Amino acid sequence: MSTLLVTHEDGLNHVTPDGHPERVARLEHLWPALEGKDVVRAEAPLAEDADLTLCHPQDYVTMIREAIPAQGFNQLDGDTWLSPGSYNCASRAVGGAMLAVDKVMAGEVGNAFVAMRPPGHHAETATPMGFCLFGTVAIAAKHALERHGLSRVAVVDFDVHHGNGSQDLLRGEARALFISSHQMPLWPGSGGAHETGDHDNVLNVPLAPGTAGQGFRQEYEGQVFPRLEEFRPELILISAGFDAHADDPLANLNLREDDFAWVTRRLCEIAAEQCKGRVVSSLEGGYDLRALAASGAVHLDELIRAAG
């Protein structure tokens, strides 16, 4: 089996103002680091409204579309900006994640990495925030449940920020387990261990500022992996944020590339035991360009190794 790598040139067309951390340069640095690897490549398709409304109301989708400026920028909140190419970029991130689910579920590939932007895990039901427009991974989870007939889909989010949007979109979905490890305290301020979802289907693992690889691994071995194995997922989705890296400018965790390789490897091992190796990973954060490229590369290496 092979690993699928999903990209599209539209990923470069969501432009943000100078100095914004979620910038075109993220993919300009990440994509070259993924070149030359033994993968199957695919271009991310545009998501349809019927896809986006698996998680968001139609009036929200329409609002985002109509807010796209003809030129320049439109600011949705203090962090989230739109440019003329933003809608197609975000739509392809969702479409790419759904395509990856389709290919993995069909057995055409063993697993997949969707290297697109903007991130999606902060977009709530009807609120864009934290650089995010649509709940990419949550939509992919609903797509797997509704259109592939799965009964149990797990989302594991190791971005340094709490995936408040994914939690909002999945907390009422008993067939989905959402797990987020994240620095606390840190924006957006949610993600306490007491937040467990409507069906005891949310596990939040707050990490203190300064936590390094050993502490991260202990929490995953002690909490995340046992809960995941108990759930017995038929598909594992990863929100792969690399901003928990020690060099990232937006937070204060101290992970290194080998920690991201380790967590990817362990998630793939659980997938091999539980769900025929089915893993679909989508890029979330990661704002130090060197660290993002290096971490994304080892993440993909572990997916390739697992697909075998």
Side-chain angles (χ1 to χ4, degrees), residues 52-234:
L52 301 173
T53 55
L54 287 169
C55 283
H56 301 287
Q58 180 64 56
D59 59 356
Y60 173 77
V61 175
T62 301
M63 181 274 288
I64 296 293
R65 183 184 293 117
E66 293 180 349
I68 301 296
Q71 58 185 1
F73 299 108
N74 186 14
Q75 186 173 11
L76 297 179
D77 63 20
D79 300 313
T80 311
W81 294 74
L82 301 176
S83 69
S86 296
Y87 187 89
N88 280 3
C89 184
S91 176
R92 289 193 190 279
V94 175
M98 294 173 53
L99 173 69
V101 169
D102 292 341
K103 296 293 188 181
V104 168
M105 291 305 303
E108 296 179 27
V109 296
N111 54 40
F113 182 34
V114 184
M116 289 290 288
R117 57 183 284 273
H121 71 150
H122 295 309
E124 296 184 340
T125 302
T127 307
M129 61 186 293
F131 317 156
C132 303
L133 303 180
F134 301 122
T136 302
V137 172
I139 294 170
K142 291 287 284 188
H143 174 67
L145 292 166
E146 299 296 338
R147 296 170 177 166
H148 287 279
L150 298 189
S151 301
R152 295 177 307 280
V153 173
V155 174
V156 179
D157 184 338
F158 54 71
D159 190 281
V160 79
H161 301 96
H162 178 237
N164 61 294
S166 298
Q167 178 173 299
D168 182 53
L169 297 170
L170 296 175
R171 61 175 296 165
E173 176 52 77
R175 298 170 295 174
L177 171 66
F178 175 66
I179 301 175
S180 176
S181 64
H182 44 271
Q183 180 181 323
M184 181 174 278
L186 188 67
W187 188 95
S190 55
H194 66 282
E195 300 171 27
T196 57
D198 298 348
H199 306 280
D200 194 27
N201 61 323
V202 170
L203 173 63
N204 284 307
V205 183
L207 303 172
T211 298
Q214 181 179 1
F216 174 82
R217 297 184 190 208
Q218 287 175 345
E219 293 294 345
Y220 268 74
E221 292 287 6
Q223 294 195 65
V224 174
F225 299 147
R227 183 67 177 276
L228 196 55
E229 291 168 337
E230 178 186 15
F231 183 66
R232 296 181 297 111
E234 297 165 307

Side-chain angles (χ1 to χ4, degrees), residues 201-271:
N201 61 323
V202 170
L203 173 63
N204 284 307
V205 183
L207 303 172
T211 298
Q214 181 179 1
F216 174 82
R217 297 184 190 208
Q218 287 175 345
E219 293 294 345
Y220 268 74
E221 292 287 6
Q223 294 195 65
V224 174
F225 299 147
R227 183 67 177 276
L228 196 55
E229 291 168 337
E230 178 186 15
F231 183 66
R232 296 181 297 111
E234 297 165 307
L235 171 69
I236 296 175
L237 302 176
I238 301 175
S239 274
F242 300 109
D243 41 6
H245 195 285
D247 294 340
D248 198 273
L250 298 191
N252 307 104
L253 295 188
N254 291 318
L255 303 192
R256 296 289 181 181
E257 288 89 332
D258 63 334
D259 298 308
F260 294 116
W262 173 83
V263 72
T264 306
R265 183 165 59 252
R266 290 289 288 115
L267 289 171
C268 288
E269 288 171 354
I270 292 171

